[in-house]
Amino acid sequence: MTGLVADIQRFSLHDGPGIRTTVFLKGCNLRCFWCHNPETLLPRPQLQVNTERCIGCGACVEACPHGAHAAGPEGKTFRRDLCRACGACARHCYADGLRLVGRQVTAEQVVAEVAEDAAFYGSEGGITLSGGEPLSQKDFSAAILAGCRAAGIRTAVETNLAYEWERLEALLPLIDLVMFDIKAIEPELHRRGTGTTNVRVLDNARRLARMRLPLIARTPVVPGYNDSVAEVGAIAQFLGTLDGLLRYELLPYHPLGTAKCASLGIEDRAKGLVPPGTACMDRLAAAARAHGLEPRVAGGRRSEDG
Amino acid sequence: MGRLALTYEDRLNLLRETKLRQTREKLAQRGYMDGDDHGCIAVVDGFRFEPVANRADGAFAGFAGWGLNFRRLFEVHPTYVDPVDALAGRWMVHLGSYRAFGWPPELDYPHLREEQERYGIISGIGAAQHFGPDRRIGLTLGWGGLLEKIRRCRAAHGPDKAAFYDAEENVVVGIQAWIRRHVEAIGETASRETRPELQANLREMAEANDWIVSDPPRTLREACQWIAWFHMASRTYNGDGAGDQLDELLRPYYERDIAEGRIDDEDAIFILACLLLNDPQYYQIGGPAPDGRDQTTRISFLILEAAHRMRIPCNLTIRVHDGLDPELYRKGVRHLLEDGKGWPRFSGDKGLTEGFIRAGHSAELARRRIAVGCHWMAIPGIEYTMNDCVKINAAKVFDVAFWDMMGGDPCSLSRAECAGGGEPDVARERAGVRASAEPPSTARLWRLFTDHMRQAVLCTAKGIDFHLAHQKDNHPELLINLLCQGPLEQGLDASDGGVELYNMCVDGSGLATAADSFGALEQRVEQERVLTWDEIAQHMRTDYQAPGGERVRLMMKTAGRYGHGGSLGDAWAVRISRMFTEAVRERPTPGGRAMIPGWFSWSSTIPMGKAVGATPNGRRAGAPISHGANPDPGFRKDGAPTAMAKAIAAIQPGYGNTAPIQLELDPGVARDAEAVEKIGQLIRGHFDLGGTLFNINILDAETLRAAHRNPAAYPDLVVRVTGFTAYFASLSPEFRQLVVDRLIEE
């Protein structure tokens, strides 16, 4: 069983309890405009071009079978319309100026890499399957989770809950912890931000809660989108009706996606957004507390008050 | 009248401010200090000391020279009394700085020099201290008891030992005189002091010191003051900073004081804080007693609390074993993350104990062997080790082996020579190519590397023997002898057979440089065939500056790295460490002394690197070699500490000495809600896999960069440099760059 993996990150501290290895699968059924992993959206390999790292050696020009890289009078040029994402150029680029995101690997290979850190997982840590949306490769996800279970590694999944219930239900016996996002309660707001309504998301969340599975809910706080007391309060009110919720996390937007969009040659729909400040996050946390939740504001660098 | 009495917190604040001022004074007086922060003060204005020579060339050496001059120094050494301190005294100078040489010129060793230079060997010849005294001996006898012991032991020997005992007497008498002058100075200070709480403090200080001039300490304060006198004297003598099992050492005094109502925990914490302020010795807390029981007691917690309140550089180590009190462990990790000053460090009992047993010793002895220095392990009072004094530069040995194979002189090319490249044939001629029938290969390079390493180890072993044969005539261990079992009884210096155990610490340096070089060659030249042997050699000769050089340099740098996990670099690192371990362990020195391998570079990565040309891992000529047992930065895109911890656990030599992991963590990690549990798990995981010592810095990249540009604006930024902590502002610019580079891979 093979699948397409964008990245495997060891020592993840923000993707669930304990020390975790996060496996980012490629492919997502949503299109959130603030996504900080835009390289995981498409279910096929993509070439990332970081021109600032180019050392002008010309190896990519020689290697490319499709003429996408060329040396010109003004330096090196890249025609993405000619690029087939075959990866030949990236294999010859040692400056990390070209990177192919998305490699075909077997579930066994993934499990083996995750098992590398077994000594550090303790009673809390393990694998977090993420992406993109892991359920977009449901069979691959199932094989990875089963392999981890067999190896005694605890499993967690980060999902947008936007697929049909049956797809998630089939994997639940293999999952110890589900982490999911609620981006907005207001249906039109949700559609505007992500490309789809939240009917299925909320329904799936209710079903999960009824099954008494350990759950962690999160909201990515995006300035000008859902960073209002009203919206977060409404989300918190909904979450307050769910049993089994371990905690609620507010994740301040961070602009990691901007540079990635540039390298992928795609539009940065979050251009100009500034991370919410501490004062804003405090207000939203208070709004969540007002509905009986004890939210955790995700860490990282403190940004300007806004 | 309306004045509030100074609280302990007030006093600690005052003491800390004083220390920062004294650090600035030291910096102004002597420039950068690329070593530990010490508790010494700047040389007092007008202080003069003229040593008396006992050699024709005007220098002093041996028992007579050191003993007499130590006593004379302390007869004039300034006293130091701070009314807010619980303890008296500060040290100031190294007696050794009054000598023109570290090793007598007539005892030169030309028969060893050529190989020492060729392989980048730091021989340790003439190196002093770097092993552990047993303070319990001194605390039990007191200075008067030690003097009495010296005289009693002298009587059992002939006049041939007279010089030894004269010297030891001089040392003790000198210390006693210095303490007596402090009793007077305390009295003078008290007569001028108006604040009642400080008058009381000075009274107690005077009484305590008056007692311990001759008698063994009775209380916690007296015990801490006694320890402080010993370590101030020992630092002055030769820089000794070895610690001890501090909680167990002080427990009886603490418990008795508490039971008899003399002190409470707040008093105890203050006294302990003052001990840690006096000098940041390497103390261990927690860990197994010889019978395996955990040694954590209440005072272990108070010591951590004292360090927390003191907020200065500190070198506490918690020995992590299965029976360790989980609360002590948690408190230690929490202070590491929240105080962010690089302490405590953590040592791994499993790796250390199993290792020392493998070296042929009992489990009880292995448990008594504690972390008493930068990366040092020693059994207090019975083992002479030369910890951290002997280094073999594995990157240099690699350099020699590579050019042996390719033909040419290692590191014959400085950067200046490299700039501009040159025709390949000319370069080869210059380098003196030797034709060989067997083509180059990693297999052949490995054989050469192994042969050269064995040569290096043998040269090192001879150097150790040479040191042991002559050190007592150069620089005997007069201070540590006093707190050992054997030297006084036998009239023999600790370096000269006076103690029971000799386990000579022999470290390798530059592991990642060598491992990544092998890995890059195997991957790029042999497996992928994107480069030939001649091409890589040529690029190395031209320091990667010739056309196409940068691409090749990056090609080599991005090959499978040690630390990545499952890479060629990882496999080579394990292979190199196993070979090095075998080479060091397979036979004792010619003089019969056992050697124990480790991986550590202390702060010598810069000078060691200057002696090594460009290496196949993409390192430029003269650049620093890799740090200790660490992978080079950039070993994985995600830089995962777990991968690093696993890799370093896999290369442990495993005979009871350490190969520490040095980890820099962003403060964001420390702010995580479950940071204590997660970092605690990281450390435990490393030890479960066989790791021996874990050093962590909590460092913010931005703060570090800013402090590097303007160190004076960050006077209290403390970093764990290698095994030791220091004020960042006190380090040289080159050294600060090293710390910055470790954290931030450009």
Side-chain angles (χ1 to χ4, degrees):
Chain A
M1 166 63 52
T2 66
L4 203 60
V5 167
D7 198 11
I8 298 180
Q9 181 180 284
R10 288 162 73 172
F11 197 68
S12 294
L13 300 179
H14 307 300
D15 292 309
I19 294 174
R20 309 196 76 84
T21 295
T22 306
V23 178
F24 296 91
L25 299 189
K26 231 175 174 302
C28 188
N29 51 342
L30 295 188
R31 288 293 180 269
C32 309
F33 70 85
W34 59 81
C35 181
H36 64 272
N37 292 327
E39 76 281 14
T40 64
L41 299 180
L42 293 180
R44 53 178 166 79
Q46 291 170 272
L47 187 70
Q48 281 183 295
V49 180
N50 294 301
T51 43
E52 73 281 4
R53 296 196 195 131
C54 177
I55 60 170
C57 69
C60 54
V61 177
E62 265 187 61
C64 178
H66 307 290
H69 297 281
E74 263 108 59
K76 201 184 80 70
T77 57
F78 174 66
R79 292 257 321 260
R80 198 171 277 279
D81 55 318
L82 296 178
C83 175
R84 303 277 198 282
C86 67
C89 61
R91 277 195 296 280
H92 287 82
C93 179
Y94 300 112
D96 200 30
L98 300 166
R99 201 193 282 189
L100 193 73
V101 184
R103 53 186 174 109
Q104 281 287 343
V105 287
T106 65
E108 287 76 25
Q109 284 170 315
V110 175
V111 173
E113 172 113 20
V114 173
E116 283 281 301
D117 278 351
F120 305 100
Y121 293 144
S123 58
E124 300 253 286
I127 181 181
T128 296
L129 206 49
S130 180
E133 168 53 49
L135 295 184
S136 69
Q137 295 187 62
K138 61 179 171 55
D139 296 328
F140 187 47
S141 288
I144 292 171
L145 292 169
C148 286
R149 264 286 162 82
I153 298 168
R154 298 186 65 75
T155 58
V157 171
E158 277 174 350
T159 173
N160 58 31
L161 290 186
Y163 272 109
E164 71 280 10
W165 168 251
E166 290 69 30
R167 195 181 273 236
L168 174 60
E169 188 185 27
L171 260 46
L172 289 179
L174 300 169
I175 302 175
D176 295 309
L177 169 70
V178 177
M179 292 181 282
F180 64 92
D181 277 11
I182 304 286
K183 319 207 207 253
I185 286 290
E186 210 278 288
E188 180 48 32
L189 185 66
H190 193 277
R191 198 202 54 74
R192 202 161 45 79
T194 70
T196 181
T197 71
N198 59 3
V199 170
R200 200 179 252 170
V201 173
L202 299 179
D203 194 51
N204 284 338
R206 284 188 206 97
R207 291 203 206 210
L208 274 176
R210 281 199 291 272
M211 298 186 71
R212 304 304 184 104
L213 265 158
L215 303 172
I216 293 179
R218 309 148 115 197
T219 296
V221 175
V222 183
Y225 174 69
N226 64 356
D227 61 337
S228 68
V229 162
E231 192 59 34
V232 171
I235 294 171
Q237 184 175 41
F238 168 76
L239 291 173
T241 64
L242 305 180
D243 285 324
L245 193 69
L246 287 181
R247 65 171 176 264
Y248 177 44
E249 293 178 352
L250 292 169
L251 313 178
Y253 163 79
H254 58 83
L256 259 185
T258 298
K260 291 189 194 179
C261 285
S263 73
L264 292 162
I266 63 180
E267 186 201 350
D268 177 15
R269 292 183 292 146
K271 199 181 175 93
L273 279 188
V274 173
T278 339
C280 170
M281 296 307 293
D282 285 346
R283 277 196 303 274
L284 300 181
R289 255 182 245 114
H291 291 278
L293 298 183
E294 202 28 77
R296 201 185 275 186
V297 177
R301 297 172 198 285
R302 301 221 177 277
S303 42
E304 292 303 312
D305 279 3
Chain B
M1 239 175 355
R3 187 187 76 88
L4 286 172
L6 288 174
T7 63
Y8 281 140
E9 193 186 331
D10 294 331
R11 288 164 71 178
L12 289 178
N13 288 339
L14 287 168
L15 288 168
R16 194 181 313 109
E17 276 164 36
T18 302
K19 181 175 169 72
L20 287 176
R21 178 176 49 79
Q22 288 165 343
T23 303
R24 282 195 298 276
E25 285 166 10
K26 278 190 288 190
L27 197 54
Q29 201 175 68
R30 50 170 102 157
Y32 301 114
M33 298 168 277
D34 283 342
D36 295 47
D37 171 66
H38 293 139
C40 58
I41 53 173
V43 181
V44 162
D45 256 344
F47 174 75
R48 292 279 178 276
F49 173 68
E50 284 295 331
V52 163
N54 68 334
R55 291 165 51 97
D57 61 6
F60 66 89
F63 295 123
W66 282 89
L68 179 63
N69 282 298
F70 179 90
R71 177 178 176 166
R72 292 179 65 253
L73 172 58
F74 276 100
E75 278 162 5
V76 299
H77 194 295
T79 56
Y80 182 97
V81 180
D82 185 337
V84 306
D85 202 331
L87 306 177
R90 287 292 186 272
W91 66 279
M92 214 170 64
V93 291
H94 283 299
L95 183 53
S97 67
Y98 293 94
R99 297 209 306 167
F101 55 70
W103 189 257
E106 73 276 9
L107 285 176
D108 197 21
Y109 36 96
H111 61 296
L112 297 174
R113 285 216 184 273
E114 194 194 316
E115 273 189 327
Q116 286 170 347
E117 250 180 69
R118 185 185 314 148
Y119 297 125
I121 296 171
I122 297 175
S123 68
I125 295 172
Q129 36 104 1
H130 289 83
F131 63 110
D134 182 359
R135 284 160 181 74
R136 203 183 299 263
I137 294 174
L139 291 171
T140 309
L141 292 175
W143 296 111
L146 280 170
L147 198 55
E148 197 270 324
K149 180 177 178 183
I150 292 166
R151 290 171 179 160
R152 190 169 24 89
C153 293
R154 178 205 287 270
H157 291 279
D160 57 314
K161 305 278 188 186
F164 172 84
Y165 288 108
D166 285 345
E168 296 291 2
E169 273 202 46
N170 272 331
V171 165
V172 177
V173 165
I175 292 170
Q176 289 181 308
W178 195 40
I179 300 173
R180 273 192 206 97
R181 286 196 296 117
H182 274 86
V183 175
E184 277 176 42
I186 296 165
E188 281 160 27
T189 308
S191 68
R192 292 191 300 269
E193 181 54 60
T194 56
R195 294 164 286 189
E197 70 277 16
L198 299 186
Q199 286 174 338
N201 178 51
L202 289 167
R203 202 166 39 244
E204 280 175 40
M205 193 195 287
E207 278 165 13
N209 280 290
D210 193 47
W211 178 264
I212 63 175
V213 171
S214 288
D215 289 289
R218 304 161 293 187
T219 65
L220 181 67
R221 184 174 189 152
E222 286 173 4
C224 288
Q225 180 72 81
W226 198 99
I227 290 171
W229 289 126
F230 175 79
H231 70 224
M232 284 184 273
S234 200
R235 280 279 201 206
T236 304
Y237 184 74
N238 61 11
D240 164 44
D244 217 317
Q245 183 75 32
L246 190 64
D247 47 4
E248 258 307 284
L249 208 56
L250 295 176
R251 183 182 51 78
Y253 304 96
Y254 163 74
E255 286 177 352
R256 200 160 46 236
D257 277 357
I258 293 282
E260 292 172 12
R262 256 189 301 276
I263 60 170
D264 62 16
D265 278 352
E266 287 301 306
D267 298 318
I269 290 168
F270 183 73
I271 294 167
L272 293 166
C274 290
L275 177 64
L276 297 175
L277 169 73
N278 191 280
D279 213 318
Q281 312 306 81
Y282 290 81
Y283 293 118
Q284 179 172 297
I285 58 175
D291 64 6
R293 258 181 328 107
D294 185 37
Q295 298 182 97
T296 306
T297 55
R298 184 155 182 77
I299 196 171
S300 317
F301 290 88
L302 301 186
I303 291 167
L304 278 183
E305 186 60 29
H308 167 63
R309 295 189 195 180
M310 197 63 249
R311 299 213 310 265
I312 56 166
C314 173
N315 293 301
L316 293 177
T317 306
I318 294 178
R319 173 80 159 240
V320 180
H321 64 122
D322 287 341
L324 179 69
D325 185 316
E327 279 314 305
L328 187 74
Y329 184 62
R330 288 193 46 131
K331 185 172 168 73
V333 176
R334 195 158 48 83
H335 282 305
L336 175 65
L337 298 179
E338 290 177 7
D339 294 13
K341 284 188 157 35
W343 66 268
R345 314 176 311 168
F346 297 87
S347 64
D349 181 69
K350 174 165 163 248
L352 291 167
T353 298
E354 279 176 11
F356 202 58
I357 291 170
R358 192 175 292 119
H361 303 279
S362 70
E364 289 76 19
L365 214 55
R367 292 182 195 121
R368 284 168 56 192
R369 199 161 196 260
I370 61 178
V372 292
C374 278
H375 84 316
W376 318 356
M377 299 299 298
I379 306 170
I382 66 170
E383 188 185 16
Y384 183 84
T385 50
M386 293 177 80
N387 281 122
D388 203 10
C389 295
V390 180
K391 303 267 180 287
I392 299 175
N393 186 346
K396 188 89 168 71
V397 176
F398 177 91
D399 199 35
V400 169
F402 183 85
W403 293 110
D404 197 352
M405 181 173 75
M406 298 306 295
D409 301 322
C411 195
S412 53
L413 304 167
S414 67
R415 281 182 119 147
E417 283 178 308
C418 288
E423 290 304 312
D425 289 334
V426 169
R428 292 191 115 193
E429 241 179 79
R430 219 162 27 134
V433 169
R434 292 195 299 278
S436 166
E438 192 187 344
S441 66
T442 52
R444 185 167 157 226
L445 180 56
W446 174 252
R447 283 198 311 272
L448 287 164
F449 180 68
T450 303
D451 287 344
H452 282 294
M453 184 60 85
R454 289 210 147 82
Q455 285 289 108
V457 169
L458 181 58
C459 174
T460 303
K462 289 177 183 168
I464 290 171
D465 281 345
F466 191 81
H467 166 85
L468 294 173
H470 298 289
Q471 175 69 338
K472 69 178 186 305
D473 297 321
N474 171 45
H475 183 158
E477 297 290 348
L478 295 182
L479 266 291
I480 305 183
N481 281 344
L482 295 172
L483 302 193
C484 281
Q485 294 171 34
L488 294 185
E489 289 83 346
Q490 299 181 76
L492 285 176
D493 194 64
S495 71
D496 189 34
V499 296
E500 183 193 332
L501 289 175
Y502 289 81
N503 289 306
M504 318 314 300
C505 176
V506 175
D507 292 322
S509 305
L511 175 62
T513 306
D516 289 343
S517 292
F518 269 109
L521 291 168
E522 184 179 3
Q523 181 171 337
R524 301 299 191 202
V525 177
E526 295 187 327
Q527 288 182 355
E528 294 170 3
R529 297 179 195 268
V530 289
L531 203 59
T532 66
W533 285 100
D534 279 345
E535 281 168 346
I536 182 60
Q538 189 50 24
H539 281 294
M540 284 161 63
R541 283 194 191 97
T542 52
D543 198 24
Y544 299 104
Q545 313 260 29
E550 180 61 8
R551 178 163 188 268
V552 170
R553 194 182 76 82
L554 292 174
M555 176 197 294
M556 302 307 272
K557 203 172 173 213
T558 53
R561 298 271 296 275
Y562 164 53
H564 182 276
S567 71
L568 288 175
D570 284 305
W572 280 106
V574 169
R575 202 172 177 196
I576 290 170
S577 187
R578 282 203 185 127
M579 181 273 287
F580 178 70
T581 299
E582 237 180 73
V584 170
R585 287 296 303 172
E586 64 190 352
R587 59 183 66 86
T589 68
R593 296 308 190 189
M595 297 183 284
I596 300 186
W599 287 99
F600 195 59
S601 43
W602 191 62
S603 8
S604 303
T605 50
I606 295 172
M608 281 184 164
K610 289 199 157 89
V612 182
T615 39
N617 66 330
R619 180 191 140 276
R620 291 200 191 279
I625 58 168
S626 59
H627 173 74
N630 267 28
D632 264 333
F635 60 92
R636 267 181 74 92
K637 288 205 166 66
D638 61 14
T642 44
M644 194 200 282
K646 218 175 158 189
I648 294 173
I651 57 88
Q652 296 292 317
Y655 281 89
N657 279 3
T658 66
I661 171 171
Q662 172 74 46
L663 179 64
E664 267 67 44
L665 287 177
D666 186 88
V669 169
R671 281 197 291 267
D672 185 284
E674 295 158 351
V676 172
E677 286 72 27
K678 290 176 186 174
I679 301 306
Q681 188 60 52
L682 177 67
I683 296 168
R684 274 205 184 273
H686 179 62
F687 291 153
D688 286 342
L689 295 171
T692 47
L693 186 62
F694 214 124
N695 295 327
I696 296 182
N697 263 323
I698 308 297
L699 280 181
D700 179 68
E702 269 177 55
T703 305
L704 199 63
R705 276 202 200 94
H708 189 34
R709 284 191 301 268
N710 182 12
Y714 296 83
D716 53 357
L717 175 62
V718 175
V719 297
R720 179 156 296 281
V721 183
T722 63
F724 60 89
T725 53
Y727 286 110
F728 189 72
S730 298
L731 304 174
S732 67
E734 238 183 348
F735 224 86
R736 296 199 303 263
Q737 188 65 53
L738 243 185
V739 179
V740 168
D741 287 344
R742 223 167 54 202
L743 181 66
I744 304 154
E745 230 269 301
E746 296 297 3

